[in-house]
Amino acid sequence: MKILEMHVTPIAISDPPLLNAAGLHAPYALRTIVELVSDDGLYGVGEVPGGASITAWLEQCRSHLLGQDPFQLNAIAETLKTRLGGRINPRHLALVQSAIEVACFDLMGKAVNRPVVDLLGGKTRDQVDFAAYLFYKYEGVGGALGFKTRDNAQGWGAARGAEALDAKGIVDQAKAMCEAYGFKSLKLKGGVFPPEEEVEAMFALSDAFGPDTPLRLDPNAIWSLETSITWGKRLEGVLEYYEDPVRTQEAMAELAKNVSLPLATNMCTTSFADIPGAMKLGSEAIILSDHHYWGGLRATLDLGRICQTFGRGLSMHSNSHVGISLAAMVHVGAALPYLSYACDTHYPWQYEDVVTKPLEFIDGAIKVPDSPGLGVELDRDSLAALHETYKNCGLDERNDELAMQVKQPGWRFAATRW
Ligand code: GKR
Ligand code: MG
């Protein structure tokens, strides 16, 4: 089997005005879709966080991939590392490797008529649990509708557009999202309002959903160590885990000594190069893996083994994404022998996709598909339309600070705000 064609398509999907420590989600989120076509007429797809630079790096891979056998993942990874390694930064290299590896896995699965999970060692669970990902937000659904809510939206669709800027708004959002998707764990993206308001929202969620519902708060490292200790103590017994309240492994390690709460990260330990420091310092109890940033599905299994060896928990981080990433997360999540928590996903916030039949959440989980490859098919009309949106949307990289300045002129990101 040989790779005959490689197509790299940047897309822009409508994204609601969700708030975070870095600012605001722009009306569009960027993703890049990779399609590899083989000499036997099959195709495989991969998806990564998008934008002009990652798209350009992926374009540069084409000449190194054509003619390669998609089953030879080690050779492909080595070729890309050698050819791009000296020029590309490690973060971009991991994204490139991930997009191509996932597309190769999709191709391989289709070639041997088996789901990707079987190429990763087979299922250790039939379904992967996800958490409701709650955001403070302005009113609106993003995209061409900007800050306006879609007129005919009902149920979760209406809640997705509704403003949620206080504890009650967050509880309403959580109820609507859980009713639509059946999620059983809740994560609030914090770092937006003063800590007391966000902690109040966590208490409100705990009151509304009961003490047995796992809760997480993620201020994206915008709190000082002192603030994180003060509010962390208040949240003991309330949170399942406390996600990245402070920046750096050192600060997380110090925090861990002062609060009785498991700490989780997708910010201070984000690559294999960070693992020695994490283990030496004890910066977190749980690593939030992300196959896009850690270099692919096999790398995620490697990370799982490291977490298991060192007694760290493992879960999954996400960014705004479409159905290819969701499928990849489900396959690797089902293959991981040790996945201790419900995974993050932004997927409910999106209403556009490039796959014909996205995988479905039932009772907060997605069943790993049995069909060949990732189990999703490209919707070529949607892909073309979302590519047009990319060309016309005026964005070529994510910049939440700039998006926030549209709502609050002069707003600036601060590495530590409270
Ligand atoms: O979508 O606003 C967002 C999140 O803040 C995202 O960018 C983070 O990468 O979800 C992420 C996280 O857990 O830090
Ligand atoms: Mg996080």
Side-chain angles (χ1 to χ4, degrees), residues 7 22 48 52 87 101 105 117 136 198 240 302 402 412:
H7 305 287
V48 278
R87 297 173 288 131
E101 192 221 47
F105 267 122
V117 66
Y136 291 106
E198 299 187 350
E240 175 187 44
D302 292 344
L402 272 182
R412 296 300 298 269

PDB file of all heavy atoms in Angstrom, residues 7 22 48 52 87 101 105 117 136 198 240 302 402 412:
ATOM      1  N   HIS A   7      -3.906  15.744   0.808  1.00  0.00           N
ATOM      2  CA  HIS A   7      -4.656  17.006   0.727  1.00  0.00           C
ATOM      3  C   HIS A   7      -4.682  17.653   2.105  1.00  0.00           C
ATOM      4  O   HIS A   7      -4.996  16.989   3.096  1.00  0.00           O
ATOM      5  CB  HIS A   7      -6.089  16.755   0.251  1.00  0.00           C
ATOM      6  CG  HIS A   7      -6.128  16.018  -1.046  1.00  0.00           C
ATOM      7  ND1 HIS A   7      -5.799  16.612  -2.239  1.00  0.00           N
ATOM      8  CD2 HIS A   7      -6.399  14.720  -1.332  1.00  0.00           C
ATOM      9  CE1 HIS A   7      -5.884  15.716  -3.214  1.00  0.00           C
ATOM     10  NE2 HIS A   7      -6.248  14.559  -2.692  1.00  0.00           N
ATOM     11  N   ALA A  22      -7.327  33.746  28.420  1.00  0.00           N
ATOM     12  CA  ALA A  22      -6.598  34.401  27.329  1.00  0.00           C
ATOM     13  C   ALA A  22      -7.459  35.432  26.615  1.00  0.00           C
ATOM     14  O   ALA A  22      -6.958  36.176  25.780  1.00  0.00           O
ATOM     15  CB  ALA A  22      -6.111  33.358  26.331  1.00  0.00           C
ATOM     16  N   VAL A  48      -6.133  18.603  13.086  1.00  0.00           N
ATOM     17  CA  VAL A  48      -5.359  19.264  14.155  1.00  0.00           C
ATOM     18  C   VAL A  48      -5.816  20.705  14.318  1.00  0.00           C
ATOM     19  O   VAL A  48      -6.428  21.275  13.403  1.00  0.00           O
ATOM     20  CB  VAL A  48      -3.824  19.288  13.878  1.00  0.00           C
ATOM     21  CG1 VAL A  48      -3.170  17.993  14.270  1.00  0.00           C
ATOM     22  CG2 VAL A  48      -3.497  19.685  12.467  1.00  0.00           C
ATOM     23  N   ALA A  52      -2.541  29.224   9.692  1.00  0.00           N
ATOM     24  CA  ALA A  52      -1.665  29.283   8.525  1.00  0.00           C
ATOM     25  C   ALA A  52      -0.356  28.528   8.755  1.00  0.00           C
ATOM     26  O   ALA A  52       0.122  27.822   7.865  1.00  0.00           O
ATOM     27  CB  ALA A  52      -1.379  30.745   8.201  1.00  0.00           C
ATOM     28  N   ARG A  87      14.051  22.714  11.620  1.00  0.00           N
ATOM     29  CA  ARG A  87      13.436  24.028  11.384  1.00  0.00           C
ATOM     30  C   ARG A  87      12.152  24.225  12.176  1.00  0.00           C
ATOM     31  O   ARG A  87      11.810  25.331  12.566  1.00  0.00           O
ATOM     32  CB  ARG A  87      13.107  24.168   9.882  1.00  0.00           C
ATOM     33  CG  ARG A  87      14.353  24.144   9.006  1.00  0.00           C
ATOM     34  CD  ARG A  87      13.976  24.119   7.532  1.00  0.00           C
ATOM     35  NE  ARG A  87      13.428  22.839   7.117  1.00  0.00           N
ATOM     36  CZ  ARG A  87      12.309  22.670   6.432  1.00  0.00           C
ATOM     37  NH1 ARG A  87      11.583  23.695   6.084  1.00  0.00           N
ATOM     38  NH2 ARG A  87      11.888  21.457   6.097  1.00  0.00           N
ATOM     39  N   GLU A 101      -0.233  10.726  11.454  1.00  0.00           N
ATOM     40  CA  GLU A 101      -0.368   9.390  12.036  1.00  0.00           C
ATOM     41  C   GLU A 101      -1.844   8.970  12.083  1.00  0.00           C
ATOM     42  O   GLU A 101      -2.201   7.838  11.754  1.00  0.00           O
ATOM     43  CB  GLU A 101       0.248   9.378  13.444  1.00  0.00           C
ATOM     44  CG  GLU A 101       0.408   7.981  14.009  1.00  0.00           C
ATOM     45  CD  GLU A 101       0.048   7.921  15.481  1.00  0.00           C
ATOM     46  OE1 GLU A 101      -1.006   8.459  15.875  1.00  0.00           O
ATOM     47  OE2 GLU A 101       0.834   7.326  16.265  1.00  0.00           O
ATOM     48  N   PHE A 105      -3.537   5.795  10.338  1.00  0.00           N
ATOM     49  CA  PHE A 105      -4.313   4.775  11.060  1.00  0.00           C
ATOM     50  C   PHE A 105      -5.677   4.569  10.395  1.00  0.00           C
ATOM     51  O   PHE A 105      -6.159   3.438  10.281  1.00  0.00           O
ATOM     52  CB  PHE A 105      -4.512   5.180  12.527  1.00  0.00           C
ATOM     53  CG  PHE A 105      -3.454   4.624  13.450  1.00  0.00           C
ATOM     54  CD1 PHE A 105      -2.671   5.470  14.215  1.00  0.00           C
ATOM     55  CD2 PHE A 105      -3.252   3.247  13.550  1.00  0.00           C
ATOM     56  CE1 PHE A 105      -1.693   4.964  15.072  1.00  0.00           C
ATOM     57  CE2 PHE A 105      -2.280   2.735  14.406  1.00  0.00           C
ATOM     58  CZ  PHE A 105      -1.498   3.589  15.164  1.00  0.00           C
ATOM     59  N   VAL A 117      -9.090   1.321  16.842  1.00  0.00           N
ATOM     60  CA  VAL A 117      -8.805   0.820  18.193  1.00  0.00           C
ATOM     61  C   VAL A 117      -8.120  -0.554  18.144  1.00  0.00           C
ATOM     62  O   VAL A 117      -7.246  -0.851  18.974  1.00  0.00           O
ATOM     63  CB  VAL A 117     -10.093   0.796  19.061  1.00  0.00           C
ATOM     64  CG1 VAL A 117     -11.108  -0.205  18.551  1.00  0.00           C
ATOM     65  CG2 VAL A 117      -9.772   0.561  20.520  1.00  0.00           C
ATOM     66  N   TYR A 136     -18.123  30.436  30.802  1.00  0.00           N
ATOM     67  CA  TYR A 136     -18.728  31.759  30.830  1.00  0.00           C
ATOM     68  C   TYR A 136     -18.758  32.222  29.387  1.00  0.00           C
ATOM     69  O   TYR A 136     -17.805  31.962  28.632  1.00  0.00           O
ATOM     70  CB  TYR A 136     -17.882  32.732  31.658  1.00  0.00           C
ATOM     71  CG  TYR A 136     -17.887  32.419  33.138  1.00  0.00           C
ATOM     72  CD1 TYR A 136     -16.783  31.847  33.758  1.00  0.00           C
ATOM     73  CD2 TYR A 136     -19.011  32.705  33.898  1.00  0.00           C
ATOM     74  CE1 TYR A 136     -16.799  31.566  35.117  1.00  0.00           C
ATOM     75  CE2 TYR A 136     -19.025  32.433  35.265  1.00  0.00           C
ATOM     76  CZ  TYR A 136     -17.925  31.861  35.865  1.00  0.00           C
ATOM     77  OH  TYR A 136     -17.944  31.588  37.207  1.00  0.00           O
ATOM     78  N   GLU A 198     -15.997  32.470  40.614  1.00  0.00           N
ATOM     79  CA  GLU A 198     -15.879  31.151  39.976  1.00  0.00           C
ATOM     80  C   GLU A 198     -16.050  30.042  41.018  1.00  0.00           C
ATOM     81  O   GLU A 198     -16.645  29.000  40.731  1.00  0.00           O
ATOM     82  CB  GLU A 198     -14.548  31.061  39.231  1.00  0.00           C
ATOM     83  CG  GLU A 198     -14.500  32.143  38.139  1.00  0.00           C
ATOM     84  CD  GLU A 198     -13.313  32.069  37.203  1.00  0.00           C
ATOM     85  OE1 GLU A 198     -12.381  31.289  37.460  1.00  0.00           O
ATOM     86  OE2 GLU A 198     -13.330  32.815  36.197  1.00  0.00           O
ATOM     87  N   GLU A 240     -13.276  17.295  41.959  1.00  0.00           N
ATOM     88  CA  GLU A 240     -12.630  16.013  41.627  1.00  0.00           C
ATOM     89  C   GLU A 240     -11.156  16.285  41.359  1.00  0.00           C
ATOM     90  O   GLU A 240     -10.287  15.560  41.808  1.00  0.00           O
ATOM     91  CB  GLU A 240     -13.291  15.443  40.375  1.00  0.00           C
ATOM     92  CG  GLU A 240     -12.640  14.178  39.857  1.00  0.00           C
ATOM     93  CD  GLU A 240     -13.224  13.750  38.522  1.00  0.00           C
ATOM     94  OE1 GLU A 240     -13.425  14.611  37.645  1.00  0.00           O
ATOM     95  OE2 GLU A 240     -13.463  12.539  38.359  1.00  0.00           O
ATOM     96  N   ASP A 302       1.834   5.706  24.963  1.00  0.00           N
ATOM     97  CA  ASP A 302       3.104   5.774  25.708  1.00  0.00           C
ATOM     98  C   ASP A 302       2.934   6.621  26.968  1.00  0.00           C
ATOM     99  O   ASP A 302       3.407   6.262  28.041  1.00  0.00           O
ATOM    100  CB  ASP A 302       4.215   6.412  24.852  1.00  0.00           C
ATOM    101  CG  ASP A 302       4.618   5.542  23.677  1.00  0.00           C
ATOM    102  OD1 ASP A 302       4.282   4.341  23.681  1.00  0.00           O
ATOM    103  OD2 ASP A 302       5.264   6.073  22.748  1.00  0.00           O
ATOM    104  N   LEU A 402      -7.125  39.322  20.860  1.00  0.00           N
ATOM    105  CA  LEU A 402      -7.701  40.219  19.843  1.00  0.00           C
ATOM    106  C   LEU A 402      -9.218  40.103  19.799  1.00  0.00           C
ATOM    107  O   LEU A 402      -9.934  41.104  19.689  1.00  0.00           O
ATOM    108  CB  LEU A 402      -7.158  39.861  18.454  1.00  0.00           C
ATOM    109  CG  LEU A 402      -5.860  40.514  18.019  1.00  0.00           C
ATOM    110  CD1 LEU A 402      -5.528  40.077  16.594  1.00  0.00           C
ATOM    111  CD2 LEU A 402      -5.993  42.035  18.098  1.00  0.00           C
ATOM    112  N   ARG A 412      -6.152  43.475  27.806  1.00  0.00           N
ATOM    113  CA  ARG A 412      -4.853  42.813  27.599  1.00  0.00           C
ATOM    114  C   ARG A 412      -4.763  41.550  28.429  1.00  0.00           C
ATOM    115  O   ARG A 412      -5.202  41.524  29.580  1.00  0.00           O
ATOM    116  CB  ARG A 412      -3.707  43.754  28.020  1.00  0.00           C
ATOM    117  CG  ARG A 412      -3.565  45.024  27.200  1.00  0.00           C
ATOM    118  CD  ARG A 412      -3.301  44.760  25.732  1.00  0.00           C
ATOM    119  NE  ARG A 412      -2.043  44.045  25.504  1.00  0.00           N
ATOM    120  CZ  ARG A 412      -0.878  44.619  25.302  1.00  0.00           C
ATOM    121  NH1 ARG A 412      -0.786  45.927  25.273  1.00  0.00           N
ATOM    122  NH2 ARG A 412       0.209  43.894  25.103  1.00  0.00           N
TER     123      ARG A 412
END
